[in-house]
Amino acid sequence: MDLFSDDYTDGNTLAGPLRELFTVDMTGAVGRCVHCGGEGPVAGMKVYAQAPGLVARCPSCQEVLMRLVRGPSDAWLDLRGTMSLRIPMPPE
């Protein structure tokens, strides 16, 4: 399998699975890549579903930003490739 193929969708694919974990829409969150320092919205990530779970890659350097695997009773969210996530919140 070519890890950098054109067979991916955008980060909006993560909207439903992340909505199970967070109470806000995470596709508008802005992440910073550990590898290249690039910033962009979760919706702009390249998401590959041809793996166990979803793998989101940086659109600039192609490194892995996020992995999300959903099992029957648990979810695993790996953010090792994301330095930070700025999450938009509704006003208090």
Side-chain angles (χ1 to χ4, degrees), residues 6-53:
D6 291 332
D7 192 16
Y8 65 87
T9 59
D10 69 25
N12 288 302
T13 304
L14 296 167
L18 287 175
R19 188 67 181 196
E20 287 188 276
L21 306 176
F22 298 96
T23 60
V24 296
D25 179 6
M26 292 297 292
T27 58
V30 175
R32 177 179 286 179
C33 179
V34 166
H35 307 283
C36 73
E39 286 188 344
V42 170
M45 294 176 179
K46 293 181 175 180
V47 179
Y48 295 85
Q50 302 81 17

Side-chain angles (χ1 to χ4, degrees), residues 65-79:
L65 294 170
M66 179 186 305
R67 295 177 185 90
L68 177 60
V69 176
R70 176 72 159 92
S73 60
D74 298 291
W76 289 265
L77 178 60
D78 177 350
L79 293 169

